[in-house]
């Protein structure tokens, strides 16, 4: 697994929101990023949490965080585990009073929850390799 951070939240040329994940520890001098297109409500929730903003009423992810707190459960990590037919799959790992629980989830929901709880985000290496975008170094010297 590769630990990643949420580098940015953008809108593509079609107006669709996309989260950009980048390895916490780069494997080389080349910048590798993983774009994942998500829905507008999830993008809004991620943006609010990343900015530390508090909505006037709790969003579903705020409710999830409150439920976890009240049930004495913690988000250990979220992981993007598979890429099948162009669809990413994720898992949320919880530590509960009954032990560890792994829950199937959408990546957008997992990232939204991680931004609220401070849980680390991971991507399976084969998933990252299959969907990564390699950005060229704009500071390369020309001869």
């Amino acid at each position: 697994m590769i630990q990643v951070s949420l580098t940015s939240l953008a809108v593509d040329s079609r107006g669709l929101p996309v989260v950009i994940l980048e390895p916490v520890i780069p494997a080389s001098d080349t910048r590798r990023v993983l774009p994942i297109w998500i829905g507008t409500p999830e993008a809004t929730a991620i943006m609010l949490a990343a900015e530390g903003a508090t909505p006037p009423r709790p969003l579903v992810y705020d409710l999830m965080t409150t439920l976890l707190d009240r049930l004495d459960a913690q988000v250990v990590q979220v992981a993007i585990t598979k890429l099948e037919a162009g669809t990413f799959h994720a898992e949320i790992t919880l530590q509960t009073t009954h032990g560890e629980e792994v829950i199937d989830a959408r990546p957008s929901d997992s990232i939204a929850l991680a931004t609220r709880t401070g849980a680390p985000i991971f991507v399976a290496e084969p998933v990252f390799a299959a969907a990564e975008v390699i950005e060229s170094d704009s500071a390369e010297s020309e001869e």
Side-chain angles (χ1 to χ4, degrees):
M1 289 284 200
I2 300 169
Q3 186 173 1
V4 297
S5 62
L6 176 64
T7 301
S8 66
L9 181 61
V11 177
D12 72 6
S13 61
R14 299 168 296 172
L16 301 174
V18 58
V19 293
I20 306 297
L21 304 175
E22 187 171 355
V24 171
I25 301 171
S28 68
D29 292 338
T30 306
R31 184 168 185 237
R32 302 167 55 214
V33 298
L34 179 67
I36 300 177
W37 278 261
I38 62 174
T40 302
E42 293 83 4
T44 300
I46 292 167
M47 181 184 67
L48 288 171
E51 292 178 348
T54 304
R57 297 287 302 145
L59 298 176
V60 67
Y61 306 103
D62 301 313
L63 174 61
M64 289 170 64
T65 301
T66 300
L67 288 169
L68 290 169
D69 286 343
R70 300 268 171 92
L71 295 172
D72 198 27
Q74 295 81 36
V75 180
V76 174
Q77 71 176 29
V78 301
I80 300 162
T81 56
K82 302 190 269 194
L83 177 60
E84 292 180 339
T87 301
F88 290 95
H89 297 257
E91 295 176 344
I92 300 169
T93 303
L94 302 175
Q95 184 62 50
T96 73
T97 56
H98 300 288
E100 197 169 90
E101 297 286 338
V102 178
I103 300 168
D104 183 40
R106 299 183 307 171
S108 57
D109 295 330
S110 300
I111 294 166
L113 190 57
T115 57
R116 279 166 175 71
T117 62
I121 303 169
F122 292 91
V123 178
E125 291 183 29
V127 173
F128 202 101
E132 73 183 334
V133 173
I134 298 174
E135 295 187 354
S136 62
D137 185 3
S138 58
E140 267 185 58
S141 59
E142 295 180 19
E143 295 183 27

